[in-house]
Amino acid sequence: MMQAWAVEHPGPIDTGPLRKVRRPVPEAGPGEVLVKVEACGMCRTDLHLSEGDLPPKHPGIIPGHQAVGTVVDQGTGDRFTTGDRVGIAWLRGTCGVCEFCRAGNENLCPRSTYTGWDADGGFAEYAVVPQDYAYALPKDRPAEELAPFLCAGIIGYRSLLRANLPPGGRLGLYGFGSSAHLTAQLATAQGAELFVVTRGEKNRALARELGAAYVGDRPPVPLDSAIVFAPAGDVVPHALEALKPGGTVAVAGIYLSDVPVLNYERHLFHERDLRSVTSNTRRDGEELFRLVARLPVRAHTTVVPFDKVAEALADVAHGRASGSLVAVLDG
């Protein structure tokens, strides 16, 4: 048996939708590996799942899709061996044959599946993942440092690509949580000038520490690109209005409240683009980890014990955390 956190009755996080449970240790099936989890990052998507913004696909689902651990059983697979360090991310499976998969856009596969939503995730002592969707990770970095890159990092990287930031351009980040603070480092390492719009003082302080040229409520100069990380649709018009002609806004979240009515002249004219970001491809993750290996990018983490997962997710909900929260398992 193992300990895990499951969503029993989705609802406001303060009502306790996440409950600690005991479950049988899962078994690795064909093409899967069983992973002993060392650490698992907290994601706002886990919060949306717990609160019901994303309805769970199965009752009692175990969230968590930023898990780092060690392979303890490779089933019938041959990609990994016992003792390998791997990462379990959000994207869990695709059909491989649809028009999107064949074109290299597997993130748009209509039969895609996701860790912690379609199948149990990493808020547990053990987790199973298809070997083709696991990432090989180095053993020389602590698990808690690697965990946030498995979703916050990958989605931030894809959002940066979707934002069409020119070399040395001005990038606006709206919201400055786990994903944004990693994206900020990727962008500045490649010469971008950073403008951060966020409310929490801890997040503002972290943005300044990471070299933002401006931190406040409204960028003082026109932006080339912007990424909306906050799950608030009313931010989108402000981000569009801040763009110079030809600029792009990418919306990074899986969930967004309704976007207000846009004014064509103020928000979209002069060829401003508004783009969404949907999950990621495995190629995104592989490219990100190659960049992380050679650029000075690191996750600013707050480590919490496994027993405090529900409390930590409440901190995410109420804006009490900055950087990335990571649950670490004993042993």
Side-chain angles (χ1 to χ4, degrees):
M1 301 292 288
M2 69 174 186
Q3 296 184 88
W5 288 90
V7 179
E8 293 192 340
H9 302 288
I13 193 66
D14 292 330
T15 66
L18 265 182
R19 298 293 178 89
K20 197 173 182 184
V21 298
R22 287 181 61 79
R23 295 274 179 84
V25 174
E27 296 181 0
E32 296 180 334
V33 291
L34 175 64
V35 178
K36 181 175 175 58
V37 177
E38 301 172 55
C40 189
M42 308 278 166
C43 179
R44 187 166 286 274
T45 302
D46 300 318
L47 177 63
H48 293 318
L49 187 75
S50 299
E51 296 196 316
D53 298 323
L54 293 178
K57 300 287 186 70
H58 305 287
I61 194 76
I62 299 171
H65 54 273
Q66 299 182 100
V68 176
T70 303
V71 174
V72 293
D73 183 3
Q74 65 268 34
T76 60
D78 58 4
R79 184 178 173 210
F80 299 104
T81 60
T82 300
D84 286 347
R85 162 77 73 75
V86 299
I88 303 175
W90 176 237
L91 185 68
R92 184 182 184 86
T94 54
C95 74
V97 297
C98 70
E99 60 177 305
F100 302 107
C101 287
R102 294 198 308 271
N105 300 318
E106 64 182 3
N107 59 306
L108 302 179
C109 174
R111 291 185 286 279
S112 55
T113 58
Y114 300 95
T115 305
W117 193 18
D118 292 281
D120 287 337
F123 288 166
E125 292 180 292
Y126 293 88
V128 164
V129 61
Q131 64 171 7
D132 291 339
Y133 291 82
Y135 292 93
L137 297 179
K139 293 183 178 181
D140 60 353
R141 293 183 66 173
E144 60 268 24
E145 290 185 10
L146 293 169
F149 289 102
L150 288 160
C151 180
I154 296 174
I155 290 299
Y157 176 67
R158 184 168 185 86
S159 300
L160 193 57
L161 296 178
R162 295 282 290 167
N164 287 333
L165 180 67
R170 293 170 175 164
L171 175 66
L173 299 181
Y174 290 75
F176 204 74
S178 182
S179 190
H181 95 282
L182 297 176
T183 308
Q185 295 176 69
L186 286 172
T188 55
Q190 298 176 76
E193 188 177 13
L194 195 63
F195 297 79
V196 174
V197 177
T198 189
R199 291 181 297 180
E201 190 48 49
K202 286 184 178 180
N203 289 338
R204 288 188 172 196
L206 180 56
R208 295 186 188 99
E209 179 184 337
L210 294 177
Y214 169 85
V215 181
D217 299 317
R218 187 180 296 271
V221 293
L223 305 175
D224 293 288
S225 305
I227 304 173
V228 175
F229 287 103
D234 57 3
V235 171
V236 172
H238 296 290
L240 284 166
E241 198 169 355
L243 294 178
K244 64 173 62 172
T248 301
V249 169
V251 179
I254 190 173
Y255 170 83
L256 188 74
S257 61
D258 289 345
V259 178
V261 174
L262 299 176
N263 178 279
Y264 182 66
E265 175 69 30
R266 288 171 54 197
H267 302 128
L268 294 172
F269 196 51
H270 298 300
E271 299 190 350
R272 297 182 181 98
D273 285 339
L274 176 60
R275 314 179 79 182
S276 65
V277 178
T278 300
S279 185
N280 62 274
T281 66
R282 283 169 286 177
R283 182 180 63 249
D284 295 327
E286 291 160 359
E287 290 176 357
L288 170 69
F289 282 112
R290 284 196 290 270
L291 286 172
V292 169
R294 65 180 181 84
L295 294 177
V297 179
R298 70 179 185 88
H300 290 246
T301 59
T302 298
V303 172
V304 299
F306 184 68
D307 285 345
K308 303 293 185 182
V309 163
E311 293 177 30
L313 208 54
D315 288 339
V316 173
H318 298 302
R320 294 190 292 256
S322 65
S324 300
L325 290 179
V326 182
V328 174
L329 284 85
D330 294 336

